[in-house]
Amino acid sequence: TQSTWGFQKMLVKAFLVVFLVFRVVVVPVIDVPMLLECPLTAAQCSAVQITSALNTTSAGICSTTCKIREAMHVDLAEYLTPDIDPLAIANPFHMQFILAYYIFVWGPFCLLLLLSFPFNTMYLRVPAVMLSSMACFALAQMTAENAMGSRPAKSVHLYMLYNIMDYLGPLAMLWYFRRDDRKHRMKQE
């Protein structure tokens, strides 16, 4: 019925707001340092002299993200193990390409969508479907490589659990922005 449909849409929209805030925070705190190959664990941040190996701009970004993660009590030491995410440790070119997509395309779009939620967001339907489909594909590729790649992870289920928001967020976005065939059929009748 129509009331159930409205309630479902409201729940998905509430989840999308949580997901979008999560993505907007994760991009500068985790994705950018991974792309720049900055220290990602608390031990690495405190043990490494960041300015020695990188240029000045990268060193500044790395030290800032280390301080932000420390303030947020985020330590990726448990996540960045060969048992959970060997792909992030190896950081091959295609992983850097996916991270660049997350940083320069997906992250800004999530911010735009978050800021436009109080208004009508349906004008963002086509880019939302395209970009969330690409995010689903990128995550499926990373999961497949972690599960069956040259160095498979022993705990793929933990990898999936750590990335649960990245699995559910694009799927929720696809569901939210899908074409409502019921409304379309009612207009035609």
Side-chain angles (χ1 to χ4, degrees):
T1 65
Q2 192 65 26
S3 63
T4 307
W5 168 252
F7 182 69
Q8 289 173 349
K9 193 123 177 152
M10 182 190 67
L11 280 178
V12 171
K13 188 173 186 176
F15 173 75
L16 276 177
V17 168
V18 171
F19 167 72
L20 294 171
V21 169
F22 167 79
R23 254 291 125 207
V24 167
V25 169
V26 163
V27 164
V29 175
I30 295 174
D31 292 346
V32 170
M34 283 182 81
L35 182 66
L36 296 175
E37 298 179 358
C38 296
L40 292 169
T41 65
Q44 289 174 339
C45 284
S46 62
V48 174
Q49 179 66 354
I50 294 174
T51 55
S52 63
L54 302 168
N55 65 37
T56 314
T57 306
S58 296
I61 291 171
C62 291
S63 64
T64 303
T65 58
C66 279
K67 290 173 186 171
I68 292 171
R69 281 194 311 278
E70 182 181 346
M72 294 173 62
H73 302 289
V74 174
D75 188 11
L76 298 174
E78 291 180 15
Y79 177 73
L80 292 172
T81 64
D83 292 343
I84 296 175
D85 196 356
L87 186 63
I89 295 170
N91 202 9
F93 177 74
H94 66 276
M95 176 73 172
Q96 293 175 0
F97 184 78
I98 291 170
L99 286 170
Y101 166 74
Y102 277 160
I103 293 167
F104 297 112
V105 180
W106 184 238
F109 180 75
C110 287
L111 180 62
L112 172 70
L113 193 57
L114 183 65
L115 295 175
S116 68
F117 255 135
F119 311 105
N120 183 11
T121 57
M122 286 301 139
Y123 63 91
L124 293 172
R125 173 181 281 159
V126 173
V129 169
M130 288 173 35
L131 296 177
S132 57
S133 297
M134 290 171 64
C136 286
F137 176 76
L139 194 59
Q141 185 273 332
M142 288 188 294
T143 304
E145 184 147 354
N146 272 326
M148 302 173 285
S150 59
R151 291 178 233 124
K154 294 176 183 152
S155 305
V156 177
H157 62 285
L158 286 176
Y159 171 80
M160 295 173 77
L161 188 60
Y162 274 110
N163 292 296
I164 192 75
M165 289 294 281
D166 285 329
Y167 282 103
L168 297 178
L171 293 175
M173 195 177 296
L174 286 170
W175 188 89
Y176 183 79
F177 284 104
R178 78 186 193 288
R179 185 171 148 216
D180 186 8
D181 287 332
R182 286 178 274 188
K183 288 181 182 178
H184 184 69
R185 270 186 266 145
M186 287 180 188
K187 287 180 183 178
Q188 287 180 343
E189 293 174 356

